[in-house]
Amino acid sequence: WDASVIQWQGNEVELTHQGDTFRLDRLVQRLDAGHEGHWWVLDYKAAVNAQQQAILVIKMKTYIAAIKTIYPGQTVKAAFLTGDGQVVMVD
């Protein structure tokens, strides 16, 4: 995303949730219209079809839960960023 639509960003963001420590590849809070305040957890994956690997999806859902705990009531979205440049949403 263009820097003008980012409120906050961090790489290798460390956080603790339910006693476990995690390191998020990238965490971004958007600023642009329609996405104001939305947090995005982004995970770089070279693996093909990361969204079909249950352990990776569970890990991302844990990251989402952790961010929602820190920022209750705010929208949190997540996506894998693939080696071929795709953005694959995690539901």
Side-chain angles (χ1 to χ4, degrees):
W1 291 305
D2 183 295
S4 67
V5 302
I6 297 174
Q7 175 73 30
W8 186 91
Q9 63 182 335
N11 294 320
E12 299 295 323
V13 176
E14 188 172 295
L15 58 94
T16 300
H17 178 67
Q18 297 181 341
D20 294 318
T21 300
F22 305 101
R23 186 176 306 274
L24 309 180
D25 287 348
R26 186 155 174 78
L27 180 63
V28 176
Q29 185 181 34
R30 293 183 65 173
L31 177 63
D32 50 322
H35 304 280
E36 300 94 338
H38 292 188
W39 287 97
W40 281 80
V41 177
L42 303 170
D43 196 24
Y44 301 107
K45 289 292 175 226
V48 176
N49 298 319
Q51 74 280 8
Q52 294 176 358
Q53 297 181 36
I55 194 156
L56 297 178
V57 173
I58 290 168
K59 188 172 160 182
M60 285 292 274
K61 288 184 178 192
T62 300
Y63 294 165
I64 293 167
I67 298 301
K68 284 184 174 184
T69 298
I70 296 168
Y71 300 106
Q74 294 195 18
T75 300
V76 180
K77 298 181 180 182
F80 294 114
L81 302 178
T82 67
D84 62 356
Q86 292 183 51
V87 177
V88 181
M89 296 295 298
V90 175
D91 297 319

